[in-house]
Amino acid sequence: MISHSDFFKAGAHFYTKHRSLVLFLCSGAIAFWIDFFTLWLLQTIGLNLWAARAIAFIVAATFTWIFNSRISFRGREARFKNLKGWGSYMGLAAIGGVLNYCASMAVLKSVTTVTPITLFLAIAAGSLAGLFANYFLNHFVFFKKA
C-alpha cells in the first residue's frame, strides 16, 4: 500500500515535471465555466445560438490568454505582447476553437430543445475537442522556452 507521504511526493514530482500542463488544465477548467455561463447568459437574453457560442468562446479564450500568459507559461516569453499578443493567441486558439465550436454545435443541433444541461454538455464536448490542440500550440508555438 502506498503511504500518504509517498502519494504527495509523487504528486509534487508530477507537478514539478508537468507544471505548465497542470496549470493549463486549471486554466481550461475555469474557462469551461466562463464559456458555459457566458453562453447561458447570452442565450437567456435572446441572442442567436451561433453568435452566442462564438462570443462565449472569445470571452473564455481571452481569459485563457491572460491566465496562461501570467501563470501557466510564466517564465517563458510570449511570442507577442499586449494587443498583438492577444490577436496572435486568438489566431492559434482558433485552431482548437474550430474543433471546440464544431463539437459543441453538433451537440446543440442534435437536441430539439436547448436547456442548461445541453449547453453544459455542448461546452464539455467542445472543451475536450480543443484541449489537446490548444495545449500543444501554446506549449510549442506561442510560448517559447526561456
Side-chain angles (χ1 to χ4, degrees):
M1 176 167 236
I2 188 168
S3 72
H4 291 291
S5 176
D6 289 340
F7 177 77
F8 287 114
K9 283 180 187 175
H13 175 71
F14 180 85
Y15 175 79
T16 301
K17 187 170 178 143
H18 302 288
R19 178 188 172 279
S20 65
L21 174 61
V22 171
L23 292 170
F24 181 85
L25 293 172
C26 290
S27 171
I30 297 167
F32 169 86
W33 289 104
I34 291 170
D35 201 357
F36 168 71
F37 284 117
T38 303
L39 178 59
W40 174 79
L41 177 66
L42 294 173
Q43 276 282 274
T44 301
I45 64 172
L47 194 63
N48 170 286
L49 180 64
W50 296 89
R53 184 68 198 100
I55 292 168
F57 173 79
I58 291 168
V59 171
T62 298
F63 165 79
T64 63
W65 172 64
I66 294 166
F67 189 100
N68 291 329
S69 294
R70 297 212 163 93
I71 297 171
S72 301
F73 297 102
R74 184 181 63 214
R76 291 185 176 199
E77 184 66 29
R79 297 267 182 222
F80 303 102
K81 295 183 184 212
N82 303 327
L83 190 56
K84 186 176 181 183
W86 178 83
S88 298
Y89 184 89
M90 295 302 281
L92 283 176
I95 296 168
V98 167
L99 298 170
N100 182 317
Y101 190 81
C102 290
S104 64
M105 293 310 289
V107 170
L108 291 173
K109 289 300 176 182
S110 70
V111 298
T112 54
T113 305
V114 175
T115 66
I117 292 171
T118 56
L119 289 175
F120 180 87
L121 294 173
I123 299 301
S127 294
L128 287 173
L131 172 70
F132 296 105
N134 285 332
Y135 178 73
F136 286 107
L137 289 169
N138 277 277
H139 185 73
F140 294 110
V141 178
F142 192 76
F143 295 99
K144 57 186 173 186
K145 290 192 179 194

